[in-house]
Amino acid sequence: MAQGLRLKEVSIKGFRGYGDEERTLDLTAPVTILFGGNRSGKSSTLNAIEWALYGKEVTGKGATGIVERKRGWLVVNRACESARVKLVMSSQEGEIAVTRKSSKTGRKKTEAFSFVDEKGNEHEEDVDLWKFLGLEARDFMSLVYLHQEVIRDIVVSEPSVRRAALDRLLGISDLRTLYESLKRIRVRDYEKRTEQIYRELERELEARSRSYEERIEALREKGVEKGLKGDSFTEETIVDLSAKAADLLGSLAREAGIGAPELKAAGGTEDFADYERRAKEVIRRLRGENPGTVSQRGLIDLRERLNRAISEYESAAKELEDLKREKEELESSGDLEVLRARKEEYIARRKELDQRLRRINARLPVVSATIDYLSELEDKSSRIPCPACEQEVVPESLMERLRAVREEMGEEVEGLGKESEDLSKKVKGLEGDIRRLEELVERRIPESEGKARSLRESIGEMLGSTITDADDVRKMVRDRLMEIEKGLDEARKVLERYNEGIASAEEMLEQAGIVYEALDAKKKIEVIRAISSSPEWRSMNEARDRLNLMLDGVEKARDSVEAALREKVRERLEEAGERIREYYRILVERPDFESITINPDDDEVYASSDGDAEKVVSFFNQGDMNCAALSIFLALGGSASREGGPCFIILDDPSQSLDAEQKRRLARLIDKVSTERQVLLATMDGELLQSLQEEVSRAKVVYRLGEWDPQSGPSIMRE
């Protein structure tokens, strides 16, 4: 750890409020004041120093506890590509230069860090610097850097936060951490749990032993039900039953013609599980490949095929019979030749009738026209030339004859038409009969005969014989089906005998298995009972005893650390008590409570006077509470008695809630502290600045930070 570290200078570029122009501030004076309004770069300057020393550790709330950093800092100025801070410090042995840089390319960020110690050695690990400083980031934020929120932590925060802040100020954080770690070890819970596990293990062993005994009893009862005697639960029984089952299964395998693997009898419980597995495999094969089953499958298949084939054959035979009957009915009035000749005869007769009708129909218009002509004559009794033949005719008598002729012609046309229509119907009927008869003779009957013949041949193949047209297929099939039923009956008998043999072997295997399980359970009981006297059990007992001794040691260690912690707190508070009271009296003038103390039992800050004490948080105004916190911080953090590490303190806006008189008093206290510690202070409070200029007697430098530009950063003027 370095001795007497003081600030010398800081160079900042592109960091937070600083722009792309590097700015260097001389910090060698005993007191350096950064003065300016909001957004002038004061906090950025202080942040640059802590970032140079601790990097990511201080950019969020985690290590600092500062709420405003909850979402993290924006390290690199938005207008810049990178941020760089170089901090130079001095010690009794020389200078220390710390450089930290952060660059951004799109969303990618890169970090670089190094520091050179007093001997010129370069380091690139943060932890090397922290060891050199003798402070972690959280300690730095309590002992060196007094942020506005840290002031509240000392007085008004929750007990755990307040205790942590005071621990760091008192330099007992590590001791407190050790105590809390030991305190979290619930010794009695461990002892209780150890004993519980031990008893649970004993109960588990007893329960398992009892379970196996009950299992043995149940197996004996089951064995009796399966035909075993009470004295049969021995190794010899397993050997005997497994041998009988093996012989029987071998005999069945030979009967079935199965090349099953040789099955040797079990020699006892040691190899019974393997024997049982192999025996079950043989049984599985015997059930799947036994001769009765094979024979049955073949006969059942043949029966199904014959039934299906005879059904199809009978259907085909009936179809053929129906087609032949239909052919006979169609040929009842003549065969195809006769029907075709008759059709031609009817067609010829219809043509003859059609010719006569055409002749009559040709004459009828002439006769009708002549009648119409004659009926229009006025003189129908005088002879005139016939309009058709030019012979002399009497119109009246000619009209009479023509009307009679027309009537005869009409009757003849009607008769001829009816006869022609009847002939057309007969021709159409003959055509349908001829087409159907042609279909039957030329296609349907030959196809049906072919189908019946094919089925007959297929049945013949099934029966193993040739079937001719003279054979009764139905009878042949019926006879064979009767033979199949007899064969199936015989196969069932073979299968029953076969399955009885397998069942007998399975029964022996089951009996042997019951004996095996009972003997195995008995062995497990012996193993369980041997556990309590085993070396492992003794080792467990010894381990339990050692654990109890260790737990007793933890309790003693915790009590010792607690006593040491209390003693250390009292010692440190006694050492700093007068300094705290002195600083408090400098800052606060209260006639009712002239002093403050820290109670080591509850870590509360009390205001006291003539033996009377009250928590400051319960009645102090905000200004007085801030003064109390400043007194504690400056007395403990700024004490020259703190060994090694930074010999400077940083105050960020320490005058919040202070009135003008308290600010002047604070300036006097800072003057006093600056005789022991270098002071770097940032404020926007003009009254505090004036008080500092008037009250601080040591050399001081004031930097006025003015207008701020996003590109170039703050304007800085040194006074």
Side-chain angles (χ1 to χ4, degrees), residues 419-468:
E419 184 179 355
S420 177
E421 185 179 350
D422 289 343
L423 287 172
S424 294
K425 291 179 179 179
K426 289 179 179 180
V427 168
K428 186 174 182 181
L430 281 172
E431 287 177 341
D433 290 346
I434 290 169
R435 280 195 302 272
R436 178 58 179 166
L437 195 54
E438 286 176 342
E439 182 182 12
L440 291 173
V441 172
E442 296 173 3
R443 186 175 66 82
R444 293 297 304 282
I445 291 175
E447 286 179 355
S448 185
E449 287 175 339
K451 182 178 180 181
R453 185 168 52 255
S454 175
L455 288 168
R456 195 165 53 245
E457 291 173 355
S458 176
I459 291 171
E461 291 177 1
M462 294 181 201
L463 298 177
S465 61
T466 302
I467 301 176
T468 65

Side-chain angles (χ1 to χ4, degrees), residues 172-216:
I172 58 169
S173 295
D174 292 342
L175 195 59
R176 175 75 70 180
T177 300
L178 176 59
Y179 170 69
E180 294 296 335
S181 298
L182 291 171
K183 188 177 178 182
R184 283 193 294 271
I185 300 174
R186 301 185 178 277
V187 172
R188 297 306 170 202
D189 289 349
Y190 278 114
E191 290 177 345
K192 183 178 178 181
R193 181 57 182 153
T194 302
E195 189 64 21
Q196 181 182 359
I197 292 172
Y198 189 80
R199 297 307 171 199
E200 285 178 357
L201 185 55
E202 287 183 328
R203 287 194 294 271
E204 177 67 17
L205 292 175
E206 180 61 30
R208 284 178 178 267
S209 179
R210 187 166 53 252
S211 173
Y212 284 128
E213 288 173 353
E214 293 171 355
R215 178 63 177 158
I216 290 172

